[in-house]
Coordinates of all heavy atoms in Angstrom, one line a residue:
M155 N -28.9 -15.3 -9.1 CA -28.0 -14.4 -8.4 C -27.1 -15.1 -7.4 O -27.6 -15.9 -6.6 CB -28.8 -13.2 -7.8 CG -28.1 -11.9 -8.0 SD -29.1 -10.5 -7.3 CE -28.2 -10.2 -5.8
A156 N -25.9 -14.9 -7.5 CA -24.9 -15.6 -6.6 C -25.0 -14.9 -5.2 O -25.1 -13.7 -5.1 CB -23.5 -15.4 -7.1
T157 N -25.0 -15.8 -4.2 CA -25.0 -15.3 -2.9 C -23.7 -14.8 -2.5 O -22.6 -15.4 -2.7 CB -25.5 -16.4 -1.9 OG1 -24.7 -17.5 -2.1 CG2 -26.9 -16.7 -2.0
K158 N -23.7 -13.6 -1.9 CA -22.4 -13.0 -1.4 C -22.0 -13.4 0.0 O -22.9 -13.5 0.8 CB -22.5 -11.5 -1.5 CG -22.4 -11.0 -3.0 CD -22.8 -9.5 -3.0 CE -22.8 -9.1 -4.5 NZ -23.4 -7.7 -4.6
K159 N -20.7 -13.6 0.2 CA -20.3 -13.9 1.5 C -20.3 -12.7 2.4 O -19.8 -11.7 2.1 CB -18.8 -14.4 1.4 CG -18.4 -15.3 2.5 CD -17.0 -15.8 2.2 CE -16.5 -16.6 3.4 NZ -15.1 -16.9 3.3
T160 N -21.0 -12.8 3.5 CA -21.2 -11.6 4.3 C -20.0 -11.5 5.3 O -19.5 -12.5 5.8 CB -22.5 -11.7 5.1 OG1 -22.7 -13.0 5.7 CG2 -23.7 -11.4 4.2
I161 N -19.6 -10.3 5.6 CA -18.6 -10.0 6.5 C -19.3 -9.8 7.9 O -20.2 -8.9 8.0 CB -17.8 -8.8 6.1 CG1 -17.0 -9.1 4.9 CG2 -16.8 -8.4 7.3 CD1 -16.3 -7.9 4.3
T162 N -18.9 -10.6 8.9 CA -19.6 -10.5 10.1 C -18.9 -9.7 11.2 O -19.4 -9.4 12.2 CB -19.9 -11.9 10.7 OG1 -18.6 -12.6 10.7 CG2 -20.9 -12.7 9.9
R163 N -17.6 -9.3 10.9 CA -16.8 -8.7 11.9 C -17.3 -7.2 12.2 O -16.9 -6.6 13.2 CB -15.3 -8.7 11.5 CG -14.9 -7.8 10.3 CD -13.4 -7.8 10.2 NE -13.0 -7.0 9.1 CZ -12.8 -7.3 7.8 NH1 -13.1 -8.5 7.5 NH2 -12.4 -6.4 7.0
F164 N -18.1 -6.6 11.3 CA -18.6 -5.3 11.6 C -20.0 -5.3 12.2 O -20.6 -4.3 12.4 CB -18.6 -4.5 10.3 CG -17.3 -4.3 9.6 CD1 -17.0 -4.8 8.4 CD2 -16.3 -3.6 10.3 CE1 -15.8 -4.6 7.8 CE2 -15.0 -3.5 9.8 CZ -14.8 -4.0 8.5
G165 N -20.5 -6.5 12.4 CA -21.9 -6.6 13.0 C -22.9 -6.0 12.0 O -22.9 -6.4 10.8
T166 N -23.7 -5.1 12.4 CA -24.7 -4.5 11.5 C -24.3 -3.1 11.1 O -25.0 -2.4 10.5 CB -26.1 -4.4 12.2 OG1 -25.9 -3.7 13.5 CG2 -26.7 -5.8 12.6
R167 N -23.1 -2.7 11.4 CA -22.6 -1.4 11.2 C -22.3 -1.1 9.7 O -22.0 -2.1 9.0 CB -21.4 -1.1 12.0 CG -21.7 -0.8 13.5 CD -20.5 -0.9 14.3 NE -20.1 -2.3 14.5 CZ -18.9 -2.7 15.0 NH1 -18.1 -1.8 15.4 NH2 -18.6 -4.0 15.1
Y168 N -22.2 0.1 9.3 CA -21.8 0.6 8.0 C -22.7 0.3 6.8 O -22.4 0.8 5.7 CB -20.3 0.2 7.7 CG -19.4 0.3 8.9 CD1 -18.8 -0.8 9.5 CD2 -19.2 1.6 9.5 CE1 -18.0 -0.6 10.6 CE2 -18.4 1.8 10.6 CZ -17.8 0.7 11.2 OH -17.0 0.8 12.3
G169 N -23.7 -0.5 7.0 CA -24.6 -0.7 5.9 C -24.3 -2.0 5.1 O -23.1 -2.3 5.0
R170 N -25.3 -2.6 4.6 CA -25.2 -3.9 4.0 C -24.4 -3.8 2.6 O -23.5 -4.6 2.3 CB -26.6 -4.5 3.7 CG -26.6 -5.8 3.1 CD -28.0 -6.2 2.7 NE -28.0 -7.2 1.7 CZ -29.0 -7.5 1.0 NH1 -30.2 -6.9 1.1 NH2 -28.9 -8.5 0.0
T171 N -24.7 -2.8 1.8 CA -24.1 -2.6 0.5 C -22.6 -2.4 0.6 O -21.8 -3.1 -0.1 CB -24.7 -1.4 -0.2 OG1 -26.1 -1.5 -0.1 CG2 -24.3 -1.4 -1.7
I172 N -22.2 -1.6 1.6 CA -20.7 -1.4 1.7 C -20.0 -2.6 2.2 O -18.9 -3.0 1.7 CB -20.5 -0.2 2.7 CG1 -21.0 1.1 2.0 CG2 -19.1 0.0 3.1 CD1 -21.1 2.3 3.0
R173 N -20.6 -3.4 3.1 CA -20.0 -4.6 3.6 C -19.9 -5.6 2.5 O -18.9 -6.4 2.4 CB -20.8 -5.1 4.8 CG -20.5 -4.5 6.1 CD -21.2 -5.1 7.3 NE -22.5 -4.6 7.4 CZ -23.6 -5.3 7.4 NH1 -23.6 -6.6 7.4 NH2 -24.8 -4.7 7.5
E174 N -20.9 -5.7 1.6 CA -20.9 -6.6 0.5 C -19.8 -6.2 -0.5 O -19.1 -7.1 -1.1 CB -22.3 -6.6 -0.2 CG -23.3 -7.5 0.5 CD -24.6 -7.5 -0.1 OE1 -24.8 -6.8 -1.1 OE2 -25.5 -8.3 0.3
R175 N -19.7 -4.9 -0.7 CA -18.7 -4.4 -1.7 C -17.3 -4.8 -1.1 O -16.4 -5.2 -1.9 CB -18.8 -2.9 -1.8 CG -18.5 -2.5 -3.2 CD -18.5 -1.0 -3.3 NE -19.8 -0.4 -3.2 CZ -20.0 0.9 -3.0 NH1 -19.0 1.8 -2.9 NH2 -21.3 1.4 -2.9
L176 N -17.1 -4.6 0.2 CA -15.8 -4.9 0.8 C -15.5 -6.4 0.7 O -14.4 -6.8 0.5 CB -15.8 -4.5 2.3 CG -14.5 -4.7 3.0 CD1 -13.4 -3.8 2.5 CD2 -14.7 -4.5 4.5
A177 N -16.5 -7.2 0.8 CA -16.3 -8.7 0.7 C -15.8 -9.1 -0.7 O -14.9 -9.9 -0.8 CB -17.7 -9.4 1.0
T178 N -16.3 -8.5 -1.7 CA -15.8 -8.8 -3.1 C -14.4 -8.3 -3.3 O -13.6 -9.0 -3.9 CB -16.7 -8.2 -4.2 OG1 -16.8 -6.8 -3.9 CG2 -18.1 -8.8 -4.2
I179 N -14.0 -7.2 -2.7 CA -12.7 -6.7 -2.8 C -11.7 -7.5 -2.0 O -10.6 -7.9 -2.5 CB -12.6 -5.2 -2.4 CG1 -13.3 -4.3 -3.3 CG2 -11.1 -4.7 -2.2 CD1 -13.6 -2.9 -2.8
E180 N -12.1 -7.9 -0.8 CA -11.2 -8.7 0.0 C -11.0 -10.1 -0.6 O -10.0 -10.7 -0.5 CB -11.8 -8.9 1.4 CG -11.6 -7.6 2.2 CD -12.0 -7.8 3.7 OE1 -12.8 -8.7 4.0 OE2 -11.5 -7.0 4.5
A181 N -12.0 -10.6 -1.3 CA -11.9 -11.9 -1.9 C -10.9 -11.9 -3.1 O -10.3 -12.9 -3.4 CB -13.3 -12.4 -2.5
G182 N -10.7 -10.7 -3.6 CA -9.8 -10.5 -4.7 C -8.3 -10.5 -4.3 O -7.5 -10.8 -5.1
Y183 N -8.0 -10.1 -3.1 CA -6.6 -10.0 -2.7 C -6.2 -11.0 -1.6 O -5.0 -11.3 -1.4 CB -6.2 -8.6 -2.3 CG -6.7 -8.0 -1.0 CD1 -6.2 -8.4 0.2 CD2 -7.7 -7.0 -1.0 CE1 -6.7 -7.9 1.4 CE2 -8.2 -6.5 0.1 CZ -7.7 -6.9 1.3 OH -8.1 -6.4 2.5
R184 N -7.2 -11.6 -0.9 CA -6.8 -12.5 0.1 C -6.5 -13.9 -0.5 O -6.9 -14.2 -1.6 CB -8.0 -12.7 1.1 CG -8.0 -11.5 2.0 CD -8.8 -11.7 3.2 NE -8.6 -10.6 4.2 CZ -9.3 -10.4 5.3 NH1 -10.3 -11.2 5.5 NH2 -9.0 -9.4 6.1
G185 N -5.7 -14.7 0.2 CA -5.4 -16.0 -0.3 C -4.2 -16.0 -1.2 O -3.5 -14.9 -1.3
K186 N -4.0 -17.0 -1.9 CA -2.8 -17.2 -2.8 C -3.1 -16.9 -4.2 O -4.2 -17.4 -4.7 CB -2.1 -18.5 -2.6 CG -1.5 -18.6 -1.2 CD -1.1 -20.0 -0.8 CE -0.5 -20.0 0.6 NZ -0.1 -21.4 1.0
H187 N -2.2 -16.3 -4.9 CA -2.4 -16.0 -6.3 C -1.2 -16.5 -7.2 O -0.2 -16.8 -6.6 CB -2.5 -14.5 -6.5 CG -3.6 -13.9 -5.8 ND1 -4.9 -13.7 -6.3 CD2 -3.7 -13.3 -4.5 CE1 -5.7 -13.2 -5.4 NE2 -5.0 -12.9 -4.3
K188 N -1.5 -16.6 -8.4 CA -0.5 -17.2 -9.3 C 0.6 -16.2 -9.6 O 0.4 -15.0 -10.0 CB -1.1 -17.7 -10.6 CG -0.3 -18.6 -11.4 CD -1.0 -19.0 -12.7 CE 0.0 -19.9 -13.6 NZ -0.6 -20.1 -14.9
C189 N 1.9 -16.7 -9.5 CA 3.0 -15.8 -9.7 C 3.2 -15.6 -11.3 O 3.3 -16.6 -12.0 CB 4.3 -16.4 -9.1 SG 5.8 -15.4 -9.4
P190 N 3.4 -14.4 -11.7 CA 3.6 -14.1 -13.2 C 5.0 -14.5 -13.6 O 5.3 -14.6 -14.8 CB 3.3 -12.6 -13.3 CG 3.6 -12.1 -12.0 CD 3.3 -13.1 -11.0
Y191 N 5.9 -14.7 -12.7 CA 7.3 -15.0 -13.0 C 7.6 -16.5 -13.0 O 8.2 -17.1 -13.9 CB 8.3 -14.3 -12.1 CG 8.1 -12.8 -12.2 CD1 7.4 -12.1 -11.3 CD2 8.8 -12.1 -13.3 CE1 7.2 -10.7 -11.5 CE2 8.6 -10.8 -13.4 CZ 7.9 -10.0 -12.5 OH 7.7 -8.7 -12.7
C192 N 7.2 -17.2 -12.0 CA 7.4 -18.7 -11.9 C 6.2 -19.5 -12.0 O 6.3 -20.7 -11.9 CB 8.2 -19.0 -10.6 SG 7.2 -18.8 -9.1
S193 N 5.0 -18.9 -12.1 CA 3.7 -19.6 -12.2 C 3.3 -20.4 -11.0 O 2.4 -21.2 -11.1 CB 3.7 -20.4 -13.5 OG 3.8 -19.6 -14.6
Y194 N 4.0 -20.2 -9.9 CA 3.7 -21.0 -8.7 C 2.5 -20.2 -8.0 O 2.5 -19.0 -8.0 CB 4.9 -21.0 -7.8 CG 4.8 -22.0 -6.7 CD1 4.9 -23.4 -6.9 CD2 4.5 -21.6 -5.4 CE1 4.8 -24.3 -5.9 CE2 4.4 -22.5 -4.3 CZ 4.5 -23.9 -4.6 OH 4.4 -24.8 -3.6
N195 N 1.6 -20.9 -7.4 CA 0.4 -20.3 -6.9 C 0.7 -19.9 -5.4 O 0.1 -20.5 -4.5 CB -0.7 -21.3 -7.0 CG -2.1 -20.6 -6.9 OD1 -2.2 -19.5 -7.6 ND2 -3.0 -21.1 -6.2
D196 N 1.6 -18.9 -5.2 CA 1.8 -18.5 -3.8 C 2.2 -17.0 -3.8 O 3.2 -16.7 -3.1 CB 2.9 -19.4 -3.2 CG 2.8 -19.5 -1.7 OD1 1.9 -18.8 -1.1 OD2 3.5 -20.2 -1.1
V197 N 1.5 -16.2 -4.4 CA 1.8 -14.7 -4.3 C 0.8 -14.1 -3.3 O -0.4 -14.4 -3.4 CB 1.6 -14.1 -5.7 CG1 1.7 -12.6 -5.6 CG2 2.6 -14.6 -6.7
T198 N 1.3 -13.4 -2.4 CA 0.5 -12.7 -1.4 C 0.7 -11.2 -1.5 O 1.7 -10.7 -1.9 CB 0.9 -13.2 0.1 OG1 2.3 -13.1 0.2 CG2 0.4 -14.6 0.3
R199 N -0.3 -10.5 -1.0 CA -0.3 -9.1 -1.0 C 0.4 -8.6 0.2 O 0.0 -8.9 1.3 CB -1.8 -8.5 -1.1 CG -1.9 -7.0 -1.2 CD -3.4 -6.7 -1.2 NE -3.6 -5.3 -1.3 CZ -3.9 -4.5 -0.2 NH1 -3.9 -5.0 1.0 NH2 -4.1 -3.2 -0.3
K200 N 1.5 -7.8 0.0 CA 2.2 -7.3 1.1 C 1.7 -5.9 1.6 O 1.6 -5.7 2.8 CB 3.7 -7.1 0.7 CG 4.5 -8.3 0.5 CD 4.9 -8.9 1.8 CE 4.7 -10.4 1.8 NZ 4.9 -11.0 3.1
A201 N 1.4 -5.1 0.7 CA 0.8 -3.8 1.0 C 0.0 -3.4 -0.2 O -0.1 -4.1 -1.2 CB 1.9 -2.7 1.3
A202 N -0.5 -2.1 -0.2 CA -1.3 -1.7 -1.4 C -0.4 -1.6 -2.6 O 0.5 -0.9 -2.7 CB -1.9 -0.3 -1.1
G203 N -0.7 -2.5 -3.6 CA 0.1 -2.5 -4.8 C 1.4 -3.3 -4.8 O 2.0 -3.4 -5.8
I204 N 1.7 -3.8 -3.7 CA 3.0 -4.6 -3.6 C 2.7 -6.1 -3.3 O 2.0 -6.4 -2.3 CB 3.9 -4.0 -2.4 CG1 4.3 -2.6 -2.8 CG2 5.2 -4.9 -2.3 CD1 4.9 -1.8 -1.6
W205 N 3.2 -6.9 -4.2 CA 2.9 -8.4 -4.1 C 4.2 -9.1 -4.0 O 5.2 -8.7 -4.6 CB 2.1 -8.8 -5.3 CG 0.8 -8.1 -5.5 CD1 0.6 -6.8 -6.0 CD2 -0.5 -8.5 -5.2 NE1 -0.7 -6.5 -6.0 CE2 -1.4 -7.5 -5.5 CE3 -1.0 -9.7 -4.6 CZ2 -2.8 -7.7 -5.3 CZ3 -2.3 -9.9 -4.4 CH2 -3.2 -8.8 -4.7
E206 N 4.2 -10.2 -3.3 CA 5.4 -11.0 -3.2 C 5.1 -12.5 -3.3 O 4.2 -13.0 -2.8 CB 6.0 -10.7 -1.8 CG 7.4 -11.3 -1.6 CD 8.1 -11.0 -0.3 OE1 7.4 -10.9 0.7 OE2 9.3 -10.9 -0.3
C207 N 6.0 -13.1 -4.1 CA 6.0 -14.5 -4.3 C 6.9 -15.2 -3.3 O 8.0 -14.9 -3.2 CB 6.4 -14.9 -5.7 SG 6.4 -16.7 -6.0
T208 N 6.3 -16.2 -2.6 CA 7.1 -16.8 -1.5 C 8.0 -17.9 -2.1 O 9.0 -18.3 -1.5 CB 6.2 -17.4 -0.4 OG1 5.2 -18.2 -1.1 CG2 5.6 -16.4 0.4
K209 N 7.7 -18.3 -3.3 CA 8.5 -19.4 -4.0 C 9.8 -18.8 -4.6 O 10.9 -19.2 -4.2 CB 7.7 -20.1 -5.1 CG 8.4 -21.2 -5.8 CD 8.1 -22.5 -5.3 CE 9.0 -23.6 -5.8 NZ 8.9 -23.8 -7.2
C210 N 9.7 -17.8 -5.5 CA 10.9 -17.3 -6.1 C 11.3 -16.0 -5.5 O 12.2 -15.3 -6.0 CB 10.6 -17.1 -7.6 SG 9.3 -15.9 -8.1
A211 N 10.7 -15.6 -4.4 CA 11.0 -14.3 -3.6 C 11.0 -13.1 -4.5 O 11.7 -12.1 -4.2 CB 12.3 -14.5 -2.9
T212 N 10.2 -13.0 -5.5 CA 10.1 -11.8 -6.3 C 9.0 -10.9 -5.7 O 7.9 -11.3 -5.3 CB 9.6 -12.2 -7.7 OG1 10.3 -13.3 -8.2 CG2 9.8 -11.0 -8.7
K213 N 9.4 -9.6 -5.5 CA 8.5 -8.6 -5.0 C 8.2 -7.7 -6.2 O 9.2 -7.2 -6.9 CB 9.2 -7.9 -3.9 CG 8.2 -7.4 -2.9 CD 8.9 -6.6 -1.8 CE 9.0 -7.4 -0.5 NZ 9.7 -6.5 0.6
F214 N 7.0 -7.5 -6.5 CA 6.7 -6.7 -7.7 C 5.4 -5.9 -7.4 O 4.7 -6.1 -6.4 CB 6.5 -7.5 -8.9 CG 5.5 -8.7 -8.8 CD1 4.2 -8.5 -9.2 CD2 5.8 -9.9 -8.2 CE1 3.2 -9.5 -9.1 CE2 4.9 -10.9 -8.1 CZ 3.6 -10.7 -8.5
T215 N 5.2 -4.9 -8.3 CA 4.0 -4.1 -8.1 C 2.9 -4.5 -9.1 O 3.1 -5.1 -10.1 CB 4.3 -2.6 -8.4 OG1 4.8 -2.5 -9.7 CG2 5.3 -2.0 -7.4
S216 N 1.7 -4.3 -8.6 CA 0.5 -4.5 -9.5 C -0.6 -3.6 -9.0 O -0.3 -2.5 -8.4 CB 0.1 -6.0 -9.3 OG -0.9 -6.3 -10.3
R217 N -1.8 -4.0 -9.2 CA -2.9 -3.1 -8.7 C -3.0 -3.2 -7.2 O -2.4 -4.1 -6.6 CB -4.2 -3.5 -9.4 CG -4.1 -3.4 -10.9 CD -5.4 -3.6 -11.5 NE -6.3 -2.5 -11.2 CZ -7.5 -2.3 -11.6 NH1 -8.0 -3.2 -12.5 NH2 -8.3 -1.3 -11.3
A218 N -3.6 -2.3 -6.6 CA -3.7 -2.2 -5.1 C -4.4 -3.4 -4.5 O -3.9 -3.9 -3.5 CB -4.4 -0.9 -4.7
Y219 N -5.5 -3.8 -5.0 CA -6.3 -4.8 -4.4 C -6.4 -6.1 -5.2 O -7.0 -7.1 -4.8 CB -7.7 -4.3 -4.1 CG -7.7 -3.1 -3.2 CD1 -7.9 -1.9 -3.6 CD2 -7.4 -3.3 -1.8 CE1 -7.9 -0.8 -2.8 CE2 -7.4 -2.3 -0.9 CZ -7.6 -1.0 -1.4 OH -7.6 0.1 -0.6
Q220 N -5.8 -6.1 -6.4 CA -5.8 -7.3 -7.2 C -4.7 -7.4 -8.1 O -4.1 -6.4 -8.5 CB -7.2 -7.4 -8.0 CG -7.3 -6.3 -9.0 CD -8.7 -6.3 -9.6 OE1 -9.7 -6.0 -9.0 NE2 -8.8 -6.7 -10.9
L221 N -4.3 -8.6 -8.5 CA -3.2 -8.8 -9.5 C -3.7 -8.5 -10.9 O -4.8 -8.9 -11.2 CB -2.7 -10.2 -9.4 CG -1.6 -10.5 -8.4 CD1 -1.2 -11.9 -8.4 CD2 -0.4 -9.6 -8.5
T222 N -2.9 -7.8 -11.7 CA -3.3 -7.6 -13.1 C -3.2 -8.9 -13.8 O -2.6 -9.9 -13.4 CB -2.4 -6.5 -13.7 OG1 -1.1 -6.7 -13.3 CG2 -2.8 -5.1 -13.4
K223 N -3.7 -8.9 -15.0 CA -3.7 -10.1 -15.9 C -2.2 -10.4 -16.2 O -1.4 -9.5 -16.4 CB -4.4 -9.8 -17.2 CG -5.9 -9.8 -17.0 CD -6.6 -9.4 -18.2 CE -8.1 -9.2 -17.9 NZ -8.8 -8.6 -19.0
P224 N -1.9 -11.7 -16.2 CA -0.5 -12.1 -16.4 C 0.1 -11.6 -17.7 O 1.3 -11.3 -17.8 CB -0.5 -13.6 -16.4 CG -1.8 -13.9 -15.6 CD -2.7 -12.8 -15.9
T225 N -0.7 -11.4 -18.7 CA -0.2 -10.9 -20.0 C 0.4 -9.5 -19.9 O 1.4 -9.2 -20.5 CB -1.3 -10.9 -21.1 OG1 -2.5 -10.2 -20.5 CG2 -1.7 -12.3 -21.5
A226 N -0.2 -8.7 -19.1 CA 0.3 -7.3 -18.9 C 1.7 -7.3 -18.2 O 2.5 -6.5 -18.6 CB -0.7 -6.5 -18.1
V227 N 1.9 -8.2 -17.3 CA 3.1 -8.3 -16.6 C 4.2 -8.9 -17.5 O 5.3 -8.4 -17.5 CB 3.0 -9.2 -15.3 CG1 4.3 -9.4 -14.6 CG2 1.9 -8.6 -14.4
K228 N 3.8 -9.8 -18.3 CA 4.8 -10.4 -19.3 C 5.3 -9.4 -20.3 O 6.5 -9.4 -20.6 CB 4.1 -11.6 -20.0 CG 4.3 -12.9 -19.3 CD 3.5 -14.0 -20.0 CE 3.4 -15.2 -19.1 NZ 2.4 -16.2 -19.7
R229 N 4.4 -8.5 -20.7 CA 4.8 -7.5 -21.7 C 5.8 -6.6 -21.0 O 6.8 -6.2 -21.6 CB 3.6 -6.7 -22.1 CG 3.7 -6.3 -23.6 CD 2.4 -5.6 -24.0 NE 1.2 -6.4 -23.9 CZ 0.0 -5.9 -23.4 NH1 0.0 -4.7 -22.8 NH2 -1.0 -6.7 -23.3
E230 N 5.6 -6.3 -19.7 CA 6.5 -5.4 -19.0 C 7.9 -6.1 -18.8 O 8.9 -5.4 -19.0 CB 5.9 -5.2 -17.6 CG 6.3 -3.9 -16.9 CD 5.5 -3.7 -15.7 OE1 4.4 -3.2 -15.7 OE2 6.0 -4.1 -14.6
Q231 N 7.9 -7.3 -18.6 CA 9.1 -8.1 -18.4 C 9.9 -8.2 -19.7 O 11.1 -8.1 -19.7 CB 8.7 -9.5 -18.0 CG 9.8 -10.3 -17.3 CD 9.4 -11.7 -16.9 OE1 8.3 -12.1 -17.3 NE2 10.1 -12.4 -16.1
A232 N 9.2 -8.2 -20.8 CA 9.9 -8.4 -22.1 C 10.7 -7.1 -22.5 O 11.7 -7.1 -23.1 CB 8.9 -8.7 -23.2
T233 N 10.1 -5.9 -22.1 CA 10.8 -4.7 -22.4 C 12.0 -4.4 -21.6 O 13.0 -3.7 -22.0 CB 9.8 -3.5 -22.3 OG1 9.2 -3.6 -21.0 CG2 8.8 -3.5 -23.3
E234 N 12.1 -5.1 -20.4 CA 13.2 -4.9 -19.5 C 14.5 -5.6 -20.1 O 15.6 -5.1 -20.0 CB 12.9 -5.6 -18.2 CG 12.4 -4.6 -17.2 CD 12.0 -5.3 -15.9 OE1 12.7 -6.2 -15.4 OE2 11.0 -4.9 -15.3
E235 N 14.3 -6.7 -20.7 CA 15.4 -7.5 -21.2 C 15.9 -7.0 -22.6 O 15.2 -6.4 -23.3 CB 15.0 -9.0 -21.4 CG 14.8 -9.6 -20.0 CD 14.0 -11.0 -20.1 OE1 13.6 -11.4 -21.1 OE2 13.9 -11.5 -19.0
Ligands
ZN756 ZN1 7.2 -16.7 -8.2

């Protein structure tokens, strides 16, 4: 079993399971992600469902806490053109 990164900012509050669940969700949206438009690894989450690439300045929607698979975005892009 993989060890989960514990969130320490809540101390012992709210229960271990909830804190662990939050850790997995936060790991999914924090940091840099791959841009579906220019493939550069610098997409950050602006708000719930809103993502922005700092390289090509594209702002697009995806899931609230994680980016969808690039194939789904590509299909969406193809219908626009
Ligand atoms: Zn980009």
Side-chain angles (χ1 to χ4, degrees):
M155 223 174 101
T157 49
K158 283 170 187 171
K159 206 178 174 186
T160 48
I161 295 173
T162 53
R163 70 175 185 270
F164 298 119
T166 56
R167 285 163 288 170
Y168 313 116
R170 182 187 158 196
T171 313
I172 293 169
R173 277 183 279 125
E174 279 178 358
R175 215 188 288 169
L176 182 67
T178 53
I179 291 165
E180 283 188 340
Y183 71 75
R184 284 195 169 168
K186 289 168 181 181
H187 301 271
K188 197 182 175 187
C189 177
Y191 297 98
C192 69
S193 297
Y194 195 75
N195 203 44
D196 207 355
V197 173
T198 50
R199 183 181 179 265
K200 289 280 136 190
I204 300 166
W205 301 79
E206 190 176 33
C207 176
T208 50
K209 180 97 192 300
C210 65
T212 314
K213 211 183 256 183
F214 55 96
T215 58
S216 190
R217 299 190 68 177
Y219 300 105
Q220 63 188 71
L221 274 178
T222 38
K223 285 172 189 171
T225 48
V227 179
K228 272 177 194 164
R229 216 179 296 135
E230 207 173 275
Q231 201 179 9
T233 51
E234 267 177 38
E235 288 164 358

